[in-house]
Amino acid sequence: MPRNNWLLIIGMAVNITGSSIIWPLNTIFIHDHLGASLTFSGFLLMLYNAAGILGNLVGGSLYDRLGGYKVVLVGAAISCLATFLLTAFHSLYPYAILLIIIGFGSSLMFPAMYAMAGANWPEGGRRAYNSLYVAQNLGVAIGASLGGFLAAISFTLSFFVNAVLYLLFLALVFVCYRGMDRHSKEKDVHISNVFDQKKQRIKQKAPFYALMWVSVAFFLSWIAYVQWQSTIASYTQQLGLSLNRYSLLWTLNGLIIVIGQPLLKQVTKRIHSLKIQMAIGICLFVSSYLILLRVQHFQGFAIAMMVLTLGEMFVWPAVPTIANELAPKSRIGFYQGFVNSTATAGRMVGPLVGGLIVDQASIHLLFLALILLYIVAGLIAYFYDFPLYLEKKRAKSETKAFNLRNT
């Protein structure tokens, strides 16, 4: 692995460790400590993720124009400033405003970091993206465990440690990331032949349509997954689980992802289709929620989290890999920003939808709805490459007709 990718991995781990101190506890803090309803908590998290959608789209587009270093530096600076302000101002409305700013700043960085990982290690394939995914989850394991411990002492202390880690990440970016920009500035080759121009336009549209199908499946998967950070987090508190025990579930999540990489590598080496990899992961997601329907104790939640974690190990790294394979060289940043924004959209809608269902019905009805959602996502993911199939079929037909006309 190139040195630059190791620096990206370290930066991702530090960044996510900081944010993971806070985000698993967001709903608990807003609902239990600031006195807001679950529906309001979901609405606030929806605004936070709406800012994240904007950040992903802007960050991906700016990468294609400016390169990754400037985008990541600006995003890190915005997040660092907002998290330090959060240590002083965390009553309901200041918390809401600063949370939205952090959502934009942190999301600005992700498309650029993923695009830089692929650009600096093109021969790495899915390994380039999987390494960042592992770094993210190492950060989750450390940050969530630390967050539960710190929150048990003081939420203010949690906010402060989060801010310090963002400052360390900003320093790393400023010192080490300047020389790693290798973003492509290649322009589309001018094509004079009318027939070839038409084929080129179809070739550009078909991959984007395929990307949209993948993104829909990604979006639906995240709506369900994010319930672990919102409604399920609150549900565990109602059942009497401590904050430390809830945080341990996320520590378990991160550790399984890091420790399980050698086994995952052996499995994915035998799976040559990314859509099969996604389908296996979504089946595991469904199994996790089937387990949740029957458990009320920590051990049961831990088993459900283990199955959920195995599922995300298959699904989450596959999506940026597919985006990179589909993207024209001059639009890699935009494609990464697009898939990241759909994941953020799922995180935005999920808490609100989950909060409404639980407030109006029950947590078990929510689990059944999420299982259905995953089944739909799995079907969409399995057929995501259908636009590419149609494009190849159309291209063969038009080429054959063109050749007949010219013979």
Side-chain angles (χ1 to χ4, degrees):
M1 186 184 298
R3 173 180 175 273
N4 286 345
N5 283 65
W6 281 110
L7 291 171
L8 287 168
I9 288 170
I10 293 168
M12 183 67 81
V14 173
N15 179 12
I16 298 299
T17 298
S19 62
S20 296
I21 290 174
I22 298 298
W23 64 255
L25 305 173
N26 259 328
T27 298
I28 295 171
F29 181 71
I30 297 166
H31 179 58
D32 296 349
H33 291 263
L34 298 181
S37 68
L38 272 179
T39 302
F40 181 84
S41 302
F43 179 71
L44 179 54
L45 292 177
M46 183 182 73
L47 294 179
Y48 165 79
N49 285 296
I53 293 172
L54 181 62
N56 274 300
L57 293 174
V58 171
S61 298
L62 288 178
Y63 171 86
D64 292 329
R65 297 185 181 186
L66 304 175
Y69 170 70
K70 292 178 182 178
V71 176
V72 177
L73 184 66
V74 170
I78 291 171
S79 301
C80 184
L81 177 61
T83 50
F84 269 104
L85 289 173
L86 201 61
T87 62
F89 306 101
H90 49 260
S91 56
L92 184 58
Y93 294 112
Y95 186 87
I97 293 168
L98 291 169
L99 196 65
I100 291 167
I101 294 171
I102 292 169
F104 176 79
S106 59
S107 297
L108 200 69
M109 300 181 280
F110 284 105
M113 292 184 76
Y114 272 93
M116 288 197 309
N120 280 279
W121 194 21
E123 66 277 10
R126 73 177 76 178
R127 288 177 294 166
Y129 304 102
N130 195 64
S131 63
L132 286 186
Y133 167 71
V134 174
Q136 280 183 286
N137 285 280
L138 179 61
V140 169
I142 298 171
S145 179
L146 187 60
F149 172 76
L150 294 172
I153 300 171
S154 165
F155 270 100
T156 301
L157 181 60
S158 301
F159 297 137
F160 178 73
V161 174
N162 180 22
V164 170
L165 287 169
Y166 263 117
L167 182 61
L168 289 174
F169 175 62
L170 177 61
L172 178 68
V173 172
F174 183 76
V175 174
C176 300
Y177 283 23
R178 187 187 301 271
M180 69 171 61
D181 262 335
R182 295 184 185 180
H183 71 290
S184 174
K185 290 184 175 291
E186 295 181 30
K187 303 296 181 183
D188 293 332
V189 177
H190 177 70
I191 301 172
S192 58
N193 182 283
V194 174
F195 176 68
D196 286 343
Q197 283 180 348
K198 185 178 179 181
K199 284 203 302 182
Q200 186 69 14
R201 284 195 299 271
I202 293 171
K203 285 181 180 179
Q204 289 175 349
K205 288 180 181 179
F208 185 70
Y209 292 152
L211 182 78
M212 290 178 67
W213 281 107
V214 171
S215 297
V216 170
F218 204 29
F219 169 72
L220 295 177
S221 297
W222 266 107
I223 287 177
Y225 183 93
V226 79
Q227 301 306 320
W228 276 89
Q229 302 161 21
S230 53
T231 52
I232 296 174
S234 183
Y235 179 54
T236 62
Q237 300 302 290
Q238 293 172 18
L239 294 175
L241 269 70
S242 66
L243 282 176
N244 278 335
R245 282 205 151 190
Y246 171 71
S247 295
L248 277 175
L249 292 174
W250 289 106
T251 302
L252 178 65
N253 172 271
L255 288 175
I256 290 172
I257 290 168
V258 175
I259 296 171
Q261 287 307 305
L263 178 61
L264 180 69
K265 184 178 178 181
Q266 294 302 315
V267 174
T268 55
K269 194 163 60 174
R270 291 167 172 77
I271 303 172
H272 301 295
S273 170
L274 286 168
K275 68 178 182 179
I276 297 295
Q277 181 176 325
M278 289 186 68
I280 292 171
I282 289 173
C283 287
L284 289 166
F285 283 154
V286 170
S287 301
S288 172
Y289 281 91
L290 287 171
I291 293 169
L292 282 178
L293 283 169
R294 304 183 63 85
V295 302
Q296 291 190 339
H297 302 288
F298 175 76
Q299 291 84 350
F301 283 101
I303 293 169
M305 174 59 85
M306 290 171 66
V307 177
L308 182 88
T309 303
L310 293 174
E312 70 169 285
M313 289 169 71
F314 282 95
V315 177
W316 291 172
V319 176
T321 307
I322 291 171
N324 187 69
E325 290 179 354
L326 293 172
K329 290 184 178 179
S330 59
R331 303 193 75 197
I332 291 174
F334 173 75
Y335 271 52
Q336 291 294 342
F338 190 87
V339 293
N340 270 285
S341 69
T342 55
T344 306
R347 291 193 291 268
M348 176 185 76
V349 175
L352 179 61
V353 171
L356 286 170
I357 293 175
V358 173
D359 285 345
Q360 300 300 319
S362 70
I363 190 74
H364 290 94
L365 181 63
L366 174 64
F367 293 156
L368 291 171
L370 298 178
I371 289 168
L372 178 61
L373 205 64
Y374 271 132
I375 292 171
V376 173
L379 291 171
I380 293 171
Y382 190 78
F383 293 103
Y384 86 88
D385 55 354
F386 189 64
L388 301 176
Y389 167 77
L390 290 179
E391 182 272 321
K392 288 180 182 177
K393 188 175 179 180
R394 187 186 296 113
K396 285 181 181 179
S397 176
E398 291 184 354
T399 301
K400 184 178 180 180
F402 180 78
N403 291 334
L404 286 172
R405 285 196 303 269
N406 289 274
T407 55

